[in-house]
Amino acid sequence: MKIIVGLGNPGKEYNLTRHNIGFMAMDILARRHNIQIRSRRDSAISGEGFIAGEKVVLVEPMTFMNLSGQAVGAFVRKFKLQPSDVIVVCDDVNLPLGRLRIRAKGSAGGHNGLKSIIQHLGSDEFIRVRVGVGEPKGDMVNHVLSRFHKSEMPTVHESVGRAADSVEVMLSEGLEPAMNRFNSITIPT
């Protein structure tokens, strides 16, 4: 079993913001695999199903970004899993818009949601799919909480779809093939 977490902030006012790219990827996976993300528990909404024959729980923490680890930790404990059974999809301001970077483990890289997950799991050994949302031109908080510009939306839709694709490849073929296939692609903006 794998726990697949999309990071974001709850509430309609955060829809289509840069910080919510993880929620967007979960919504795509849910649609593709007929998984209902409706169950409310452990400070999250979630849904269980199968992707590539693997049992999965799709999770969207409802704790706001900086406290995401509370929900992730609760799911790991509930299902008696290891941090390595977790895949997190999140935004990354250090990557150009549309670029993906998949890693098996590592630091939070300044991302408060990842920092919270590392703290609550007591480990950085979980997979992360970082989706580039572009560098801030000013204040970081305003940047990650801002909506994408209309001109950016085709790239956003493409990259979120590829993030979902990468999770499917990880589950069907493994981490290395996913890294080889998706870490090298750059989308023209």
Side-chain angles (χ1 to χ4, degrees):
M1 172 183 258
K2 299 289 184 197
I3 296 174
I4 305 169
V5 182
L7 296 187
N9 286 312
K12 290 183 180 180
E13 66 270 29
Y14 297 107
N15 285 349
L16 296 179
T17 61
R18 294 170 195 277
H19 239 359
N20 277 34
I21 211 151
F23 282 7
M24 294 178 213
M26 290 309 98
D27 293 343
I28 289 173
L29 286 169
R31 254 191 328 271
R32 285 181 183 174
H33 300 280
N34 199 28
I35 298 172
Q36 303 294 315
I37 302 177
R38 291 188 187 159
S39 177
R40 292 189 176 277
R41 67 177 122 132
D42 300 317
S43 304
I45 58 172
S46 64
E48 296 182 32
F50 290 87
I51 298 176
E54 177 97 36
K55 178 135 174 111
V56 299
V57 182
L58 301 182
V59 177
E60 294 179 1
M62 294 287 113
T63 55
F64 288 95
M65 184 64 75
N66 295 353
L67 301 174
S68 298
Q70 292 175 2
V72 177
F75 276 84
V76 167
R77 287 186 299 278
K78 175 187 171 91
F79 291 103
K80 297 180 172 84
L81 299 173
Q82 298 300 312
S84 58
D85 295 315
V86 177
I87 300 170
V88 176
V89 181
C90 65
D91 61 297
D92 190 328
V93 297
N94 296 311
L95 292 174
L97 183 69
R99 180 87 192 265
L100 298 186
R101 180 175 293 146
I102 301 168
R103 294 287 184 261
K105 62 181 180 173
S107 74
H111 193 288
N112 288 331
L114 292 176
K115 189 182 302 181
S116 177
I117 293 170
I118 291 168
Q119 177 185 5
H120 282 269
L121 294 182
S123 173
D124 68 354
E125 303 225 356
F126 57 90
I127 297 169
R128 68 266 339 248
V129 179
R130 297 174 82 124
V131 183
V133 295
E135 269 187 68
K137 307 247 188 302
D139 178 67
M140 175 72 74
V141 173
N142 287 336
H143 179 68
V144 295
L145 295 180
S146 68
R147 293 183 185 274
F148 290 102
H149 301 289
K150 186 178 179 182
S151 63
E152 295 174 313
M153 288 310 293
T155 303
V156 170
H157 290 304
E158 173 74 19
S159 64
V160 171
R162 284 182 27 264
D165 295 344
S166 75
V167 170
E168 293 167 341
V169 170
M170 279 181 233
L171 295 172
S172 63
E173 300 175 34
L175 178 61
E176 288 295 323
M179 291 172 70
N180 290 338
R181 190 172 308 162
F182 294 96
N183 282 351
S184 61
I185 299 172
T186 302
I187 297 176
T189 56

Short mmCIF file of all heavy atoms in Angstrom, two decimals, residues 134-182:
data_model
loop_
_atom_site.label_atom_id
_atom_site.label_comp_id
_atom_site.label_asym_id
_atom_site.label_seq_id
_atom_site.Cartn_x
_atom_site.Cartn_y
_atom_site.Cartn_z
N GLY A 134 7.72 28.31 -10.59
CA GLY A 134 8.44 29.54 -10.91
C GLY A 134 8.92 30.29 -9.68
O GLY A 134 8.37 30.16 -8.60
N GLU A 135 9.99 31.05 -9.88
CA GLU A 135 10.58 31.84 -8.80
C GLU A 135 9.74 33.07 -8.49
O GLU A 135 9.19 33.69 -9.40
CB GLU A 135 11.96 32.33 -9.22
CG GLU A 135 13.08 31.41 -8.83
CD GLU A 135 14.42 32.05 -9.13
OE1 GLU A 135 14.78 33.04 -8.47
OE2 GLU A 135 15.07 31.54 -10.04
N PRO A 136 9.68 33.43 -7.21
CA PRO A 136 8.94 34.65 -6.86
C PRO A 136 9.66 35.88 -7.38
O PRO A 136 10.89 35.95 -7.37
CB PRO A 136 8.90 34.63 -5.34
CG PRO A 136 9.99 33.71 -4.92
CD PRO A 136 10.22 32.76 -6.04
N LYS A 137 8.90 36.85 -7.83
CA LYS A 137 9.48 38.12 -8.29
C LYS A 137 9.46 39.13 -7.15
O LYS A 137 9.99 40.21 -7.26
CB LYS A 137 8.68 38.65 -9.47
CG LYS A 137 8.53 37.65 -10.59
CD LYS A 137 9.26 38.06 -11.81
CE LYS A 137 9.00 37.20 -13.01
NZ LYS A 137 9.30 35.81 -12.87
N GLY A 138 8.82 38.75 -6.05
CA GLY A 138 8.74 39.61 -4.86
C GLY A 138 8.62 38.74 -3.64
O GLY A 138 9.39 37.80 -3.46
N ASP A 139 7.64 39.03 -2.84
CA ASP A 139 7.39 38.32 -1.59
C ASP A 139 7.03 36.85 -1.84
O ASP A 139 6.16 36.54 -2.65
CB ASP A 139 6.26 39.02 -0.84
CG ASP A 139 5.91 38.31 0.45
OD1 ASP A 139 6.75 38.32 1.37
OD2 ASP A 139 4.80 37.74 0.53
N MET A 140 7.70 35.93 -1.12
CA MET A 140 7.49 34.50 -1.30
C MET A 140 6.05 34.09 -0.98
O MET A 140 5.43 33.35 -1.74
CB MET A 140 8.46 33.72 -0.40
CG MET A 140 8.24 32.22 -0.43
SD MET A 140 8.76 31.47 -1.98
CE MET A 140 10.53 31.54 -1.77
N VAL A 141 5.52 34.54 0.15
CA VAL A 141 4.17 34.15 0.56
C VAL A 141 3.15 34.59 -0.48
O VAL A 141 2.28 33.81 -0.89
CB VAL A 141 3.82 34.70 1.96
CG1 VAL A 141 2.36 34.44 2.29
CG2 VAL A 141 4.73 34.08 3.01
N ASN A 142 3.25 35.82 -0.94
CA ASN A 142 2.32 36.30 -1.96
C ASN A 142 2.44 35.49 -3.24
O ASN A 142 1.44 35.22 -3.91
CB ASN A 142 2.54 37.78 -2.25
CG ASN A 142 2.04 38.67 -1.14
OD1 ASN A 142 1.16 38.28 -0.37
ND2 ASN A 142 2.61 39.85 -1.02
N HIS A 143 3.66 35.08 -3.56
CA HIS A 143 3.87 34.31 -4.78
C HIS A 143 3.19 32.94 -4.71
O HIS A 143 2.42 32.58 -5.60
CB HIS A 143 5.37 34.13 -5.04
CG HIS A 143 5.69 33.32 -6.25
ND1 HIS A 143 5.43 33.78 -7.53
CD2 HIS A 143 6.23 32.08 -6.38
CE1 HIS A 143 5.82 32.84 -8.40
NE2 HIS A 143 6.30 31.82 -7.73
N VAL A 144 3.45 32.18 -3.63
CA VAL A 144 2.89 30.83 -3.57
C VAL A 144 1.39 30.83 -3.33
O VAL A 144 0.70 29.86 -3.67
CB VAL A 144 3.61 29.94 -2.52
CG1 VAL A 144 5.05 29.71 -2.92
CG2 VAL A 144 3.47 30.47 -1.12
N LEU A 145 0.86 31.91 -2.78
CA LEU A 145 -0.59 31.99 -2.56
C LEU A 145 -1.31 32.70 -3.71
O LEU A 145 -2.54 32.85 -3.68
CB LEU A 145 -0.91 32.69 -1.24
CG LEU A 145 -0.42 31.95 0.01
CD1 LEU A 145 -0.79 32.73 1.26
CD2 LEU A 145 -0.98 30.53 0.07
N SER A 146 -0.55 33.10 -4.74
CA SER A 146 -1.17 33.76 -5.89
C SER A 146 -1.69 32.72 -6.88
O SER A 146 -1.18 31.60 -6.97
CB SER A 146 -0.17 34.68 -6.59
OG SER A 146 0.86 33.93 -7.22
N ARG A 147 -2.71 33.10 -7.61
CA ARG A 147 -3.25 32.24 -8.67
C ARG A 147 -2.33 32.30 -9.88
O ARG A 147 -1.63 33.28 -10.10
CB ARG A 147 -4.65 32.69 -9.06
CG ARG A 147 -5.66 32.49 -7.98
CD ARG A 147 -7.06 32.88 -8.46
NE ARG A 147 -8.01 32.81 -7.37
CZ ARG A 147 -8.64 31.70 -7.01
NH1 ARG A 147 -8.44 30.59 -7.65
NH2 ARG A 147 -9.48 31.72 -6.00
N PHE A 148 -2.35 31.23 -10.64
CA PHE A 148 -1.59 31.23 -11.89
C PHE A 148 -2.21 32.22 -12.86
O PHE A 148 -3.43 32.41 -12.89
CB PHE A 148 -1.61 29.83 -12.52
CG PHE A 148 -0.81 28.82 -11.74
CD1 PHE A 148 -1.45 27.91 -10.92
CD2 PHE A 148 0.57 28.80 -11.83
CE1 PHE A 148 -0.71 26.96 -10.20
CE2 PHE A 148 1.31 27.86 -11.12
CZ PHE A 148 0.67 26.95 -10.31
N HIS A 149 -1.37 32.84 -13.66
CA HIS A 149 -1.86 33.74 -14.71
C HIS A 149 -2.50 32.91 -15.81
O HIS A 149 -2.11 31.76 -16.04
CB HIS A 149 -0.71 34.58 -15.28
CG HIS A 149 -0.02 35.41 -14.25
ND1 HIS A 149 -0.61 36.51 -13.66
CD2 HIS A 149 1.20 35.28 -13.69
CE1 HIS A 149 0.24 37.03 -12.79
NE2 HIS A 149 1.34 36.29 -12.78
N LYS A 150 -3.45 33.49 -16.50
CA LYS A 150 -4.14 32.79 -17.59
C LYS A 150 -3.14 32.24 -18.60
O LYS A 150 -3.29 31.11 -19.09
CB LYS A 150 -5.13 33.74 -18.26
CG LYS A 150 -5.99 33.09 -19.30
CD LYS A 150 -6.99 34.07 -19.89
CE LYS A 150 -7.83 33.39 -20.94
NZ LYS A 150 -8.78 34.32 -21.56
N SER A 151 -2.09 33.00 -18.90
CA SER A 151 -1.09 32.56 -19.88
C SER A 151 -0.28 31.35 -19.39
O SER A 151 0.29 30.63 -20.19
CB SER A 151 -0.14 33.71 -20.22
OG SER A 151 0.58 34.10 -19.06
N GLU A 152 -0.24 31.14 -18.07
CA GLU A 152 0.52 30.02 -17.51
C GLU A 152 -0.30 28.72 -17.46
O GLU A 152 0.27 27.64 -17.31
CB GLU A 152 0.96 30.34 -16.07
CG GLU A 152 1.94 31.48 -15.97
CD GLU A 152 2.22 31.85 -14.52
OE1 GLU A 152 1.27 32.00 -13.73
OE2 GLU A 152 3.42 32.00 -14.20
N MET A 153 -1.62 28.83 -17.58
CA MET A 153 -2.49 27.67 -17.35
C MET A 153 -2.21 26.48 -18.27
O MET A 153 -2.26 25.34 -17.80
CB MET A 153 -3.96 28.08 -17.40
CG MET A 153 -4.40 28.90 -16.18
SD MET A 153 -3.95 28.18 -14.57
CE MET A 153 -4.97 26.72 -14.55
N PRO A 154 -1.91 26.66 -19.56
CA PRO A 154 -1.59 25.47 -20.37
C PRO A 154 -0.38 24.70 -19.82
O PRO A 154 -0.39 23.47 -19.76
CB PRO A 154 -1.30 26.05 -21.76
CG PRO A 154 -2.09 27.32 -21.81
CD PRO A 154 -2.01 27.87 -20.40
N THR A 155 0.64 25.42 -19.37
CA THR A 155 1.82 24.78 -18.80
C THR A 155 1.47 24.11 -17.47
O THR A 155 1.93 23.01 -17.18
CB THR A 155 2.95 25.82 -18.59
OG1 THR A 155 3.25 26.42 -19.85
CG2 THR A 155 4.20 25.17 -18.03
N VAL A 156 0.64 24.78 -16.67
CA VAL A 156 0.22 24.21 -15.38
C VAL A 156 -0.53 22.91 -15.60
O VAL A 156 -0.23 21.89 -14.96
CB VAL A 156 -0.64 25.22 -14.59
CG1 VAL A 156 -1.28 24.57 -13.37
CG2 VAL A 156 0.19 26.43 -14.19
N HIS A 157 -1.50 22.91 -16.50
CA HIS A 157 -2.27 21.69 -16.77
C HIS A 157 -1.37 20.56 -17.25
O HIS A 157 -1.51 19.41 -16.82
CB HIS A 157 -3.39 21.95 -17.78
CG HIS A 157 -4.50 22.79 -17.25
ND1 HIS A 157 -5.21 22.47 -16.11
CD2 HIS A 157 -5.02 23.96 -17.68
CE1 HIS A 157 -6.12 23.39 -15.87
NE2 HIS A 157 -6.02 24.31 -16.81
N GLU A 158 -0.43 20.89 -18.12
CA GLU A 158 0.51 19.89 -18.64
C GLU A 158 1.37 19.32 -17.51
O GLU A 158 1.55 18.11 -17.39
CB GLU A 158 1.39 20.52 -19.72
CG GLU A 158 2.50 19.64 -20.22
CD GLU A 158 2.04 18.51 -21.13
OE1 GLU A 158 0.92 18.59 -21.67
OE2 GLU A 158 2.81 17.54 -21.28
N SER A 159 1.92 20.20 -16.68
CA SER A 159 2.83 19.72 -15.62
C SER A 159 2.09 18.94 -14.54
O SER A 159 2.62 17.95 -14.02
CB SER A 159 3.61 20.88 -15.01
OG SER A 159 2.76 21.80 -14.37
N VAL A 160 0.88 19.34 -14.20
CA VAL A 160 0.10 18.60 -13.20
C VAL A 160 -0.27 17.22 -13.75
O VAL A 160 -0.20 16.21 -13.03
CB VAL A 160 -1.15 19.40 -12.77
CG1 VAL A 160 -2.07 18.56 -11.92
CG2 VAL A 160 -0.74 20.65 -12.01
N GLY A 161 -0.62 17.15 -15.02
CA GLY A 161 -0.88 15.86 -15.66
C GLY A 161 0.35 14.97 -15.65
O GLY A 161 0.26 13.77 -15.39
N ARG A 162 1.52 15.56 -15.90
CA ARG A 162 2.77 14.79 -15.88
C ARG A 162 3.13 14.35 -14.47
O ARG A 162 3.68 13.28 -14.27
CB ARG A 162 3.91 15.59 -16.52
CG ARG A 162 3.79 15.59 -18.05
CD ARG A 162 4.90 16.31 -18.80
NE ARG A 162 6.17 16.39 -18.15
CZ ARG A 162 6.61 17.44 -17.43
NH1 ARG A 162 5.89 18.50 -17.26
NH2 ARG A 162 7.81 17.41 -16.88
N ALA A 163 2.79 15.17 -13.47
CA ALA A 163 3.03 14.76 -12.08
C ALA A 163 2.19 13.52 -11.76
O ALA A 163 2.69 12.56 -11.16
CB ALA A 163 2.69 15.90 -11.12
N ALA A 164 0.93 13.52 -12.19
CA ALA A 164 0.07 12.35 -12.01
C ALA A 164 0.63 11.16 -12.79
O ALA A 164 0.69 10.04 -12.27
CB ALA A 164 -1.36 12.66 -12.44
N ASP A 165 1.08 11.40 -14.02
CA ASP A 165 1.70 10.33 -14.83
C ASP A 165 2.89 9.72 -14.09
O ASP A 165 3.08 8.51 -14.08
CB ASP A 165 2.21 10.87 -16.17
CG ASP A 165 1.14 11.37 -17.10
OD1 ASP A 165 -0.06 11.07 -16.89
OD2 ASP A 165 1.50 12.10 -18.06
N SER A 166 3.70 10.59 -13.47
CA SER A 166 4.91 10.11 -12.80
C SER A 166 4.57 9.19 -11.63
O SER A 166 5.26 8.20 -11.39
CB SER A 166 5.79 11.27 -12.34
OG SER A 166 5.27 11.91 -11.19
N VAL A 167 3.49 9.50 -10.90
CA VAL A 167 3.06 8.63 -9.80
C VAL A 167 2.63 7.28 -10.36
O VAL A 167 2.98 6.22 -9.82
CB VAL A 167 1.92 9.29 -8.99
CG1 VAL A 167 1.30 8.31 -8.01
CG2 VAL A 167 2.44 10.54 -8.27
N GLU A 168 1.90 7.30 -11.46
CA GLU A 168 1.46 6.04 -12.09
C GLU A 168 2.66 5.20 -12.53
O GLU A 168 2.67 3.98 -12.33
CB GLU A 168 0.55 6.34 -13.27
CG GLU A 168 -0.77 6.96 -12.87
CD GLU A 168 -1.57 7.54 -14.03
OE1 GLU A 168 -0.98 7.80 -15.10
OE2 GLU A 168 -2.77 7.74 -13.84
N VAL A 169 3.67 5.85 -13.10
CA VAL A 169 4.87 5.12 -13.52
C VAL A 169 5.61 4.55 -12.31
O VAL A 169 6.08 3.41 -12.34
CB VAL A 169 5.79 6.01 -14.39
CG1 VAL A 169 7.15 5.35 -14.63
CG2 VAL A 169 5.12 6.33 -15.72
N MET A 170 5.71 5.32 -11.23
CA MET A 170 6.35 4.80 -10.02
C MET A 170 5.66 3.53 -9.54
O MET A 170 6.33 2.57 -9.14
CB MET A 170 6.27 5.84 -8.89
CG MET A 170 7.29 6.92 -8.96
SD MET A 170 7.07 8.02 -7.56
CE MET A 170 6.96 9.57 -8.42
N LEU A 171 4.34 3.54 -9.56
CA LEU A 171 3.59 2.39 -9.06
C LEU A 171 3.63 1.20 -10.00
O LEU A 171 3.57 0.06 -9.56
CB LEU A 171 2.14 2.80 -8.78
CG LEU A 171 1.97 3.84 -7.66
CD1 LEU A 171 0.52 4.31 -7.59
CD2 LEU A 171 2.43 3.30 -6.32
N SER A 172 3.73 1.46 -11.31
CA SER A 172 3.72 0.35 -12.26
C SER A 172 5.12 -0.14 -12.63
O SER A 172 5.32 -1.33 -12.86
CB SER A 172 2.96 0.73 -13.53
OG SER A 172 3.61 1.80 -14.20
N GLU A 173 6.11 0.76 -12.69
CA GLU A 173 7.44 0.40 -13.15
C GLU A 173 8.54 0.60 -12.12
O GLU A 173 9.61 0.04 -12.25
CB GLU A 173 7.78 1.20 -14.41
CG GLU A 173 6.83 0.97 -15.57
CD GLU A 173 7.13 1.87 -16.75
OE1 GLU A 173 8.33 2.17 -16.99
OE2 GLU A 173 6.18 2.29 -17.44
N GLY A 174 8.32 1.48 -11.16
CA GLY A 174 9.32 1.76 -10.14
C GLY A 174 9.79 3.20 -10.15
O GLY A 174 9.51 3.96 -11.07
N LEU A 175 10.52 3.54 -9.10
CA LEU A 175 11.00 4.91 -8.92
C LEU A 175 12.02 5.33 -9.98
O LEU A 175 11.92 6.41 -10.56
CB LEU A 175 11.60 5.08 -7.52
CG LEU A 175 12.20 6.44 -7.19
CD1 LEU A 175 11.14 7.54 -7.29
CD2 LEU A 175 12.84 6.42 -5.82
N GLU A 176 13.01 4.49 -10.24
CA GLU A 176 14.07 4.84 -11.20
C GLU A 176 13.53 5.15 -12.60
O GLU A 176 13.90 6.17 -13.18
CB GLU A 176 15.14 3.74 -11.27
CG GLU A 176 16.01 3.66 -10.04
CD GLU A 176 16.88 4.89 -9.84
OE1 GLU A 176 17.36 5.46 -10.82
OE2 GLU A 176 17.05 5.28 -8.66
N PRO A 177 12.65 4.29 -13.14
CA PRO A 177 12.10 4.64 -14.45
C PRO A 177 11.34 5.96 -14.44
O PRO A 177 11.41 6.74 -15.40
CB PRO A 177 11.15 3.47 -14.77
CG PRO A 177 11.71 2.31 -14.00
CD PRO A 177 12.25 2.92 -12.73
N ALA A 178 10.62 6.24 -13.35
CA ALA A 178 9.90 7.52 -13.26
C ALA A 178 10.87 8.68 -13.22
O ALA A 178 10.67 9.69 -13.91
CB ALA A 178 8.99 7.53 -12.03
N MET A 179 11.93 8.55 -12.44
CA MET A 179 12.93 9.63 -12.37
C MET A 179 13.59 9.84 -13.73
O MET A 179 13.75 10.99 -14.18
CB MET A 179 13.97 9.30 -11.31
CG MET A 179 13.43 9.36 -9.90
SD MET A 179 14.59 8.76 -8.65
CE MET A 179 15.82 10.04 -8.69
N ASN A 180 13.95 8.75 -14.39
CA ASN A 180 14.59 8.86 -15.70
C ASN A 180 13.68 9.51 -16.73
O ASN A 180 14.13 10.28 -17.57
CB ASN A 180 15.04 7.49 -16.19
CG ASN A 180 16.19 6.93 -15.40
OD1 ASN A 180 16.94 7.67 -14.76
ND2 ASN A 180 16.33 5.62 -15.40
N ARG A 181 12.42 9.20 -16.67
CA ARG A 181 11.48 9.69 -17.67
C ARG A 181 11.04 11.13 -17.41
O ARG A 181 10.90 11.91 -18.35
CB ARG A 181 10.25 8.81 -17.70
CG ARG A 181 9.32 9.11 -18.87
CD ARG A 181 8.20 8.11 -19.03
NE ARG A 181 8.68 6.76 -19.07
CZ ARG A 181 7.94 5.69 -18.86
NH1 ARG A 181 6.66 5.82 -18.59
NH2 ARG A 181 8.46 4.48 -18.91
N PHE A 182 10.82 11.50 -16.15
CA PHE A 182 10.19 12.80 -15.87
C PHE A 182 11.12 13.89 -15.38
O PHE A 182 10.80 15.06 -15.51
CB PHE A 182 9.03 12.61 -14.88
CG PHE A 182 7.91 11.79 -15.45
CD1 PHE A 182 7.83 10.44 -15.21
CD2 PHE A 182 6.95 12.39 -16.27
CE1 PHE A 182 6.79 9.68 -15.76
CE2 PHE A 182 5.93 11.64 -16.82
CZ PHE A 182 5.85 10.28 -16.56
#
